[in-house]
Amino acid sequence: SYVLTQPPSVSVAPGETARITCGGQNVDRKNVHWYQQKPGQAPALVMRFDDDRPSGIPDRLSGSNSGNTATLAISRAEAGDEADYYCQVRDDNNDHWVFGGGTKLTVL
Amino acid sequence: EVKLVESGGGLVQPGGSLRLSCGGSGFNFSTYWMSWVRQAPGKGLEWVANIKRDESEKYYVDSVEGRFTISRDNAKNSLYLQMSGLRAEDTAVYYCTTSGNDFWGPYISWGQGTLVTVSS
């Protein structure tokens, strides 16, 4: 089965750029979606189809996907960005959805 | 606005059964693809099951295949997850979610979740 690998944690200083990676074999051949989950809340979609921001998501967030790594970048990081972030792809071999293990973003 | 509300969670003994429900409003439920995703305490997200709008296709994660059944009643704008043979590792918050009109699209809306605890 397909596996997505995320770093457990990423730290960033306020105002700097955080990059959260999502690794998978030839992940660039797949559509990657990203979700943000704040404590006690349900997840929310923040990036779809690699680099498309849903309505209401600030342009400080951007996505990319190349080779074996997809990346969610958050520029001008602020305290409100602190959350867990999950990447997601479809496993074409068995029509299953796969999530990465999640990355906790801390804004120091 | 798409709204999803889960219910039916609770404490159940190992080997027991439970049925979760999810009510949808603010959208044409019968045209949307629906899913269940769960999250064990302190852990990450795990996709559980998908169902097409006419129930013609259903998909399950391997760990629940044969024990869980996803279904829907479009007339009642409701999604269900019948769970049997429950195990301690099924303990999680179960979220109802939808990818809208795109079966393999991203999850555009989530409910607040319902907690299932499997314990003796």
Side-chain angles (χ1 to χ4, degrees):
Chain A
S1 60
Y2 196 79
V3 176
L4 292 173
T5 301
Q6 298 183 236
S9 62
V10 168
S11 297
V12 64
E16 298 300 309
T17 298
R19 291 179 175 82
I20 300 171
T21 59
C22 174
Q25 187 173 10
N26 297 319
V27 74
D28 63 341
R29 299 178 186 177
K30 302 181 181 299
N31 292 313
V32 179
H33 313 302
W34 290 91
Y35 301 88
Q36 176 194 68
Q37 186 180 33
K38 296 184 177 180
Q41 296 185 17
L45 181 68
V46 294
M47 193 66 62
R48 60 190 179 186
F49 300 106
D50 299 341
D51 58 5
D52 183 52
R53 280 187 311 276
S55 175
I57 301 302
D59 61 6
R60 299 186 298 107
L61 275 66
S62 62
S64 62
N65 189 3
S66 179
N68 294 322
T69 304
T71 302
L72 177 70
I74 304 173
S75 63
R76 303 188 299 281
E78 52 192 52
D81 296 325
E82 286 200 338
D84 294 325
Y85 291 84
Y86 296 90
C87 57
Q88 178 200 34
V89 302
R90 173 189 175 187
D91 184 347
D92 298 327
N93 290 327
N94 55 16
D95 283 338
H96 287 185
W97 277 117
V98 177
F99 285 99
T103 298
K104 182 178 182 60
L105 176 67
T106 300
V107 181
L108 299 170
Chain B
E1 178 193 3
V2 175
K3 186 173 183 181
L4 301 170
V5 179
E6 303 93 338
S7 60
L11 175 64
V12 61
Q13 292 189 340
S17 299
L18 206 60
R19 188 174 90 149
L20 306 183
S21 300
C22 170
S25 61
F27 63 103
N28 189 347
F29 185 88
S30 64
T31 67
Y32 275 29
W33 314 127
M34 301 298 297
S35 302
W36 290 98
V37 173
R38 68 183 179 183
Q39 186 170 36
K43 303 297 184 182
L45 302 174
E46 180 183 39
W47 167 76
V48 175
N50 278 356
I51 185 170
K52 280 197 168 184
R53 51 192 173 190
D54 61 356
E55 298 193 89
S56 61
E57 294 185 37
K58 303 177 184 181
Y59 301 91
Y60 300 91
V61 68
D62 291 351
S63 59
V64 309
E65 184 85 53
R67 298 189 299 122
F68 290 11
T69 301
I70 188 171
S71 63
R72 64 192 295 164
D73 185 338
N74 289 337
K76 296 183 178 180
N77 291 345
S78 294
L79 174 73
Y80 306 103
L81 186 67
Q82 178 67 48
M83 305 183 293
S84 61
L86 284 162
R87 307 166 180 166
E89 54 264 37
D90 296 318
T91 294
V93 173
Y94 285 73
Y95 293 102
C96 170
T97 185
T98 180
S99 56
N101 294 308
D102 185 356
F103 191 44
W104 293 111
Y107 292 140
I108 59 175
S109 187
W110 299 64
Q112 283 305 301
T114 187
L115 176 63
V116 173
T117 302
V118 184
S119 175
S120 55

